[in-house]
Amino acid sequence: MNINVFEMPLDLGASRHGSDMGPSAIRLAGLKEKLAELGHTITKSQCPMEQHPQEYEDPGNPKAKYLPIITKACEQLAEKVEESALNQNFPIILGGDHSIVLGSLAGMSAACKKLGKTLGVLYVDAHGDFNTCETTLSGNIHGMCLSGSCGYGIPELTNLYFQGAKVDPKNVCYVGLRDIDPKEKLLMKEAGVTAYTMSHIDRTGFHHIMEQVKDFFKNKVDYIHISFDMDCIDPQFAPGVGIQIPGGLNYREALLLMEEMSETNMVKSCDIVEVNPVLDLRNQTATMAVKLLARLLGEKLF
């Protein structure tokens, strides 16, 4: 498989900075070597955005901090992701904070429209990222990125790259939720997303949840984009994230999720976000990100 890797060292969408170094950490953890070992070819590896150190930028609107910089970077990313998908390559986007998914989904959505395909999203995250300027408690855009992609929120987000929603919220499935704001939860239910929280996993078992996830996508969409926030994993396995919340996916569950999704043959793109080397231990979280991508792209234990 031909793979395009897009590094997005953007951390302006979050309060805690350092995830701008995440792409480099994943690269240094051996991503290229691992993919080559699996028989894949990285035909392009680049950073499609201009870098803007947070210390030199004005946050602007307190309800949507650093909005112009984030939207510009995501527009640049969307163009590259669309081109990659139309060329039948597999785009991997390395964050950065989760605001970059605005660009990932805009690019994949534009490609799907031209190819006549329906896009679905598997959103693996401890958080819903479904706030708007009216509901946000922080003003951080990494908490509004999926709502914006689904057509909820300010025009700068909902109309990024092209006008209108990038994905139907009824084609969005969450796994790993465990920290959702009250008003955000109401909007998610109104939008009609499907959500499997950690409580669902505890009650029925992870394998059962993954069977439901695969069934969810099987008859609804053609292409799946996986957006994987490393904070969905329990901090004992992935400590290098901006928001550490106990009670997440364990090491085996996270790898199994990627293996199960690989077997669908429907995953056409993926982003891995919120790796923060400043808070990591011996690059442990970035190494985990490489292992996750390897399982998604065909690595087997036996």
Side-chain angles (χ1 to χ4, degrees):
M1 182 188 296
N2 288 332
I3 294 172
N4 297 157
V5 177
F6 301 109
E7 298 189 8
M8 291 293 290
L10 182 72
D11 70 351
L12 299 178
S15 291
R16 182 168 288 176
H17 298 286
S19 61
D20 58 327
M21 294 181 280
S24 296
I26 297 171
R27 181 172 10 96
L28 293 171
L31 177 61
K32 183 177 181 180
E33 293 79 4
K34 174 56 72 173
L35 296 180
E37 179 185 310
L38 294 171
H40 301 298
T41 302
I42 296 181
T43 57
K44 184 184 294 182
S45 181
Q46 66 180 101
C47 172
M49 61 168 279
E50 302 171 11
Q51 297 191 44
H52 295 268
Q54 173 261 339
E55 293 81 4
Y56 299 99
E57 298 294 342
D58 181 1
N61 182 356
K63 288 292 187 178
K65 298 173 185 173
Y66 304 105
L67 178 64
I69 303 169
I70 292 171
T71 53
K72 180 180 178 181
C74 288
E75 293 260 4
Q76 292 168 333
L77 173 62
E79 182 180 0
K80 297 299 182 182
V81 169
E82 179 186 7
E83 178 187 1
S84 175
L86 288 175
N87 288 330
Q88 302 300 308
N89 295 324
F90 190 103
I92 293 175
I93 305 97
L94 306 178
D97 68 63
H98 218 152
S99 64
I100 65 140
V101 79
L102 287 158
S104 303
L105 290 181
M108 285 304 298
S109 180
C112 284
K113 287 179 183 296
K114 291 179 180 179
L115 295 170
K117 304 293 184 181
T118 302
L119 179 64
V121 178
L122 177 59
Y123 209 77
V124 190
D125 201 330
H127 307 92
D129 296 349
F130 221 85
N131 275 298
T132 65
C133 289
E134 286 70 40
T135 66
T136 180
L137 302 177
S138 66
N140 293 331
I141 290 177
H142 76 159
M144 310 179 204
C145 49
L146 189 53
S147 53
S149 296
C150 289
Y152 294 84
I154 55 176
E156 291 89 340
L157 300 184
T158 60
N159 295 327
L160 188 139
Y161 197 55
F162 64 85
Q163 191 165 4
K166 309 307 179 283
V167 61
D168 185 338
K170 292 180 176 57
N171 293 335
V172 172
C173 183
Y174 286 89
V175 171
L177 288 170
R178 60 189 188 278
D179 185 19
I180 315 171
D181 296 330
K183 291 183 179 179
E184 177 185 30
K185 188 187 303 183
L186 293 175
L187 185 57
M188 290 167 68
K189 290 182 176 180
E190 176 189 320
V193 301
T194 294
Y196 295 105
T197 68
M198 290 306 302
S199 293
H200 289 113
I201 292 170
D202 291 340
R203 288 192 186 102
T204 64
F206 192 69
H207 177 70
H208 178 67
I209 293 296
M210 285 311 303
E211 290 301 310
Q212 291 182 289
V213 169
K214 289 187 291 184
D215 286 342
F216 171 85
F217 288 115
K218 189 162 36 178
N219 299 315
K220 297 184 68 169
V221 304
D222 304 300
Y223 286 2
I224 300 172
H225 174 83
I226 295 180
S227 191
F228 200 109
D229 189 321
M230 294 300 290
D231 73 14
C232 72
I233 304 174
D234 194 275
Q236 66 178 308
F237 305 110
V241 295
I243 305 175
Q244 296 182 348
I245 304 174
L249 299 180
N250 65 35
Y251 190 93
R252 298 191 307 277
E253 289 169 341
L255 294 174
L256 178 61
L257 181 147
M258 290 304 217
E259 283 188 26
E260 292 284 304
M261 294 310 297
S262 176
E263 291 178 0
T264 67
N265 293 315
M266 297 171 68
V267 180
K268 303 298 180 181
S269 55
C270 178
D271 54 55
I272 299 273
V273 301
E274 301 285 1
V275 172
N276 191 327
V278 174
L279 303 170
D280 208 1
L281 300 173
R282 298 181 297 278
N283 217 26
Q284 177 179 336
T285 307
T287 299
M288 182 65 176
V290 172
K291 291 180 178 179
L292 290 166
L293 287 168
R295 295 295 177 92
L296 179 62
L297 293 168
E299 184 179 57
K300 302 288 185 184
L301 288 178
F302 187 74

